[in-house]
Amino acid sequence: MSRKVTDKAVENRPARHSRIVIVGSGFSGLGMAIRLRQQGRNDFLVLERGHDVGGTWRDNTYPGAACDVPSHLYSYSFALNPEWTRSFSKQPEIQQYIQGVADKYGVRDRHIFGCDMTGAQWNEAASRWDIQTSQGPFTADILISAVGALCEPNLPDIKGINEFQGEIFHSARWNHDADLTGKRVAVIGTGASAIQIVPSIAKQVAKLDVYQRTAPWLLPRGDRPYTLPERLAFKHIPGAQALSRAAIYAVRETQVVGLAKFPPAMKALEAVARAKLRIEVRDPELRKKVTPNFSIGCKRMLISNEYYPALSRDNVDVVTDGIKEVRAGSVVTKDGTEREVDAIVVATGFHVTDSPMYETISGRDGRTLAEVFEHSGQQGYKGSTIHNYPNMFFLLGPNVGLGHTSMVYMIESQINYIADAVQTIDKQGLRTVEVRQDAQDEYNTELQGKLTGSVWNTGGCASWYLDKHGNNTTLWPDFTFRFRSLLETFDIAAYETTAKAS
Ligand code: NAP
């Protein structure tokens, strides 16, 4: 969400009221809209700053973009897709799936596209949210944030980067008009996005410098096209797809044991990753450079069969000396080496624990989320509500993230909870619901207790999972089925409520 100043004519439009406003239409916002429609509701709007549904899958169109979770699991449980062409789908197929779901469930008419929320304040007197957008003001009794964690590109603060004269763009804002063929290109970052970009452009460019700050752990990618008999089975044999989905889910869930509960168990996976490194990187000097120095799982584990072979190419260099500055036509490292480049791809991730959106949402006491989180770090209740923000729900709020399995599973758990909350509010004639501070505190004490021994907290790395206080405010520290059961019904006892005036 950008903090654009809207022009006066737009600002002065009369506010449009909707009982429920959802912000964002990626997997989470779209899924929420569909559930509300299934409840028979028409009293909601989805404000989406882009011009289509899809969120991160609409925006990340970089070469090689694909999902690390098999599609039969990385899809809505209510909209299984027998047509997936391969086990790990690429971005265009996922985006097409999301668009198809939006059409099938008929919720596009509740969307306002090109509508960027620039701020929202709780209006205590009127018990509603006042919302500013690039298309004028809105008001809502219930506000649902579905903006996701991976939506605001994190641009590195490197001296001189704004003075670079060649093509420069972030991985999530790929400039398809820039032809990299035969160019000298720098990629900054070696995370999940970069390791897909590097092999996809390595053959096409003249020279590729990969600027690595921390070497990631890589595991094999078991990707393959589905055979025709498999696809026919998914389509025609009842339960075949559900069975495949359940098997993927079960296998992936076993990783929770090592990641969250008993990190020494990760050693087995680390042995696999070390073997892969030995086999795929023959040059000892390069191998040394790309050998990680932290426990596997501490940062997101990456999967690729193409990244190491790409790094081993003659036209690719891994640069580990640290960037000192960017000049008009070059990148200079701390050892004083200057490397000329025509284009820079910035694959440096997203603002996760410091989302700019937090500065624009003010709660009951007037404080913004950024102000509240400044001291406590981002904290919520079941990832779905936050004290001081009445009648507001969060999809993909604090500590809902995962590295090992499908976020769509977590999203659907939250949709269950929020949908039940909305029905409870209606049935009980409530004016406001706000999670109690003590319920939120108790929840977070337990959550942080579970995280203490996890590999994310103890594995010896710095990652975007941790905030500036060193707290892990992004990840769910347990089996995902526990999250599902925790959010099965809206637990109103944890909330302060007020009734509508009769
Ligand atoms: P990321 O994982 O945050 O990686 C950012 C990379 O940029 C890291 O290597 C980081 O180094 C480096 N970096 C950041 N700031 C830098 C600076 N100032 N100078 C030099 N290097 C810098 O971001 P991402 O790769 O975009 O992935 C983000 C998340 O998106 C993933 O964790 C995943 O959840 C999701 N994703 C998923 C897929 C998939 O399913 N295949 C693909 C792409 C993204 P350090 O490690 O030293 O911080």
Side-chain angles (χ1 to χ4, degrees):
M1 234 163 286
S2 63
R3 266 111 296 286
K4 279 180 230 132
V5 179
T6 50
D7 71 42
K8 277 276 167 248
V10 171
E11 270 174 30
N12 291 336
R13 278 182 197 163
R16 281 174 275 182
H17 183 76
S18 177
R19 169 90 171 125
I20 302 170
V21 162
I22 302 169
V23 184
S25 192
F27 257 115
S28 64
L30 176 63
M32 192 73 237
I34 291 170
R35 177 64 68 85
L36 294 178
R37 193 30 83 72
Q38 287 171 335
Q39 286 181 341
R41 309 190 79 107
N42 227 0
D43 54 355
F44 64 93
L45 284 175
V46 185
L47 310 184
E48 167 54 58
R49 71 176 172 182
H51 292 278
D52 200 351
V53 296
T56 193
W57 292 105
R58 179 200 59 219
D59 291 343
N60 281 271
T61 60
Y62 60 76
C67 191
D68 283 355
V69 178
S71 296
H72 282 296
L73 184 59
Y74 195 80
S75 42
Y76 295 116
S77 62
F78 59 84
L80 298 186
N81 174 24
E83 307 291 348
W84 293 117
T85 58
R86 54 191 313 119
S87 46
F88 291 83
S89 296
K90 295 181 190 298
Q91 177 269 338
E93 200 173 346
I94 299 172
Q95 176 60 4
Q96 208 181 1
Y97 165 78
I98 299 172
Q99 288 167 326
V101 172
D103 294 337
K104 182 173 171 193
Y105 289 87
V107 289
R108 281 190 193 262
D109 63 339
R110 302 316 303 161
H111 281 67
I112 302 180
F113 290 106
C115 186
D116 187 359
M117 183 177 88
T118 51
Q121 302 81 36
W122 174 249
N123 180 331
E124 181 74 2
S127 292
R128 60 158 203 239
W129 284 95
D130 294 336
I131 302 162
Q132 299 79 46
T133 80
S134 57
Q135 293 196 25
F138 289 78
T139 56
D141 299 323
I142 296 170
L143 179 61
I144 302 177
S145 165
V147 299
L150 305 173
C151 66
E152 287 294 342
N154 174 27
L155 301 172
D157 186 16
I158 298 173
K159 186 181 165 202
I161 199 160
N162 295 328
E163 270 63 66
F164 183 66
Q165 295 298 307
E167 290 290 350
I168 178 164
F169 46 86
H170 187 270
S171 51
R173 303 284 182 272
W174 194 269
N175 178 2
H176 291 277
D177 293 332
D179 183 7
L180 301 181
T181 311
K183 299 276 170 57
R184 297 163 302 178
V185 180
V187 171
I188 305 179
T190 52
S193 302
I195 66 120
Q196 296 184 327
I197 293 167
V198 166
S200 304
I201 63 171
K203 285 186 193 148
Q204 169 200 3
V205 302
K207 180 82 184 62
L208 183 55
D209 297 325
V210 180
Y211 286 86
Q212 172 190 283
R213 196 165 64 177
T214 312
W217 282 109
L218 253 73
L219 289 167
R221 187 175 180 85
D223 185 24
R224 64 176 181 85
Y226 284 122
T227 60
L228 186 62
E230 281 175 312
R231 289 173 67 180
L232 289 173
F234 289 141
K235 202 163 182 172
H236 298 295
I237 300 179
Q241 218 188 330
L243 193 66
S244 160
R245 186 177 163 96
I248 299 165
Y249 176 80
V251 169
R252 295 209 153 224
E253 208 60 7
T254 59
Q255 287 186 22
V256 175
V257 176
L259 290 167
K261 298 178 181 296
F262 184 62
M266 295 304 286
K267 288 285 170 210
L269 271 184
E270 199 167 304
V272 175
R274 279 189 196 283
K276 178 180 171 66
L277 186 57
R278 259 196 315 277
I279 294 163
E280 293 182 3
V281 184
R282 306 306 301 174
D283 172 11
E285 202 182 316
L286 177 60
R287 195 188 298 158
K288 199 169 158 206
K289 270 188 188 173
V290 299
T291 300
N293 59 2
F294 55 89
S295 301
I296 195 167
C298 182
K299 277 173 181 287
R300 187 186 161 102
M301 290 177 282
L302 308 182
I303 55 170
S304 173
N305 300 336
E306 296 162 344
Y307 181 64
Y308 287 147
L311 296 187
S312 305
R313 289 173 59 87
D314 288 342
N315 68 333
V316 179
D317 274 338
V318 177
V319 184
T320 55
D321 296 313
I323 301 173
K324 183 174 157 226
E325 61 176 310
V326 172
R327 294 185 185 154
S330 62
V331 179
V332 183
T333 43
K334 288 180 181 151
D335 64 346
T337 309
E338 181 169 10
R339 291 175 180 83
E340 294 190 348
V341 281
D342 306 304
I344 301 179
V345 175
V346 182
T348 47
F350 300 87
H351 287 285
V352 179
T353 54
D354 58 347
S355 168
M357 181 197 80
Y358 294 160
E359 288 160 26
T360 69
I361 297 183
S362 315
R364 191 172 31 74
D365 69 1
R367 281 185 307 157
T368 63
L369 278 167
E371 286 166 332
V372 170
F373 290 165
E374 175 63 22
H375 303 291
S376 64
Q378 47 170 21
Q379 282 186 11
Y381 180 68
K382 299 188 175 181
S384 306
T385 49
I386 299 176
H387 178 70
N388 192 42
Y389 299 85
N391 289 13
M392 180 164 188
F393 296 91
F394 295 80
L395 286 153
L396 303 174
N399 289 100
V400 173
L402 304 170
H404 71 288
T405 192
S406 174
M407 279 310 297
V408 184
Y409 183 89
M410 300 300 272
I411 286 168
E412 285 194 50
S413 305
Q414 291 198 278
I415 288 173
N416 292 342
Y417 187 74
I418 298 171
D420 193 35
V422 171
Q423 280 189 325
T424 306
I425 290 169
D426 281 358
K427 272 194 210 137
Q428 300 197 7
L430 300 176
R431 189 172 164 91
T432 60
V433 295
E434 179 185 352
V435 68
R436 294 194 332 261
Q437 183 75 59
D438 62 318
Q440 181 173 307
D441 289 346
E442 202 178 310
Y443 176 80
N444 279 283
T445 303
E446 194 186 334
L447 192 90
Q448 289 303 326
K450 285 186 180 173
L451 281 161
T452 315
S454 73
V455 72
W456 309 301
N457 287 35
T458 61
C461 74
S463 77
W464 61 257
Y465 297 154
L466 308 179
D467 66 13
K468 65 177 182 182
H469 308 288
N471 293 325
N472 189 330
T473 55
T474 52
L475 292 183
W476 170 247
D478 209 332
F479 295 106
T480 59
F481 54 79
R482 293 239 166 97
F483 188 72
R484 175 66 54 101
S485 66
L486 199 63
L487 276 78
E488 212 170 318
T489 49
F490 181 62
D491 48 346
I492 198 160
Y495 289 77
E496 271 157 22
T497 60
T498 61
K500 272 190 189 146
S502 48

